[in-house]
Amino acid sequence: MRTGSEPMTARSALRARLWLSVWGLVWAIVGTVAFVLAGRPGWAAACGVLWLVVTVDLAVILRHIRQGPHYQPGPDIPPYRPPEQRGP
């Protein structure tokens, strides 16, 4: 049921984000190693920065998963209640 408050109460698909981050982490590591071996330090640095960003994102995702159902909805978690009516 749509309540109109979805942008404020939306939940993230953390398991999907987790696996996409793992996929990105693997490719960032492979890219960094490949460019180092190929002698392309600029591209290796770019992949290294991407590696760092993906690692931080992965840590945030894992933290949210460990925080429980507030961040990780399942079939047994009811949706948030719509916000109370605001002023005129």
Side-chain angles (χ1 to χ4, degrees):
M1 176 177 79
R2 295 187 58 94
T3 62
S5 66
E6 285 80 8
M8 292 175 45
T9 59
R11 298 181 185 179
S12 176
L14 290 175
R15 289 183 191 100
R17 282 183 59 196
L18 174 73
W19 290 112
L20 287 171
S21 289
V22 168
W23 180 253
L25 184 66
V26 168
W27 278 106
I29 292 169
V30 168
T32 303
V33 171
F35 284 122
V36 164
L37 294 176
R40 302 283 189 169
W43 284 105
C47 286
V49 169
L50 184 61
W51 184 355
L52 178 65
V53 169
V54 172
T55 302
V56 169
D57 185 45
L58 196 56
V60 170
I61 292 168
L62 289 173
R63 179 176 172 263
H64 284 178
I65 288 174
R66 288 186 184 131
Q67 284 180 336
H70 176 73
Y71 288 102
Q72 185 181 13
D76 55 334
I77 305 300
Y80 292 123
R81 293 180 50 208
E84 298 298 323
Q85 192 74 320
R86 294 185 181 176

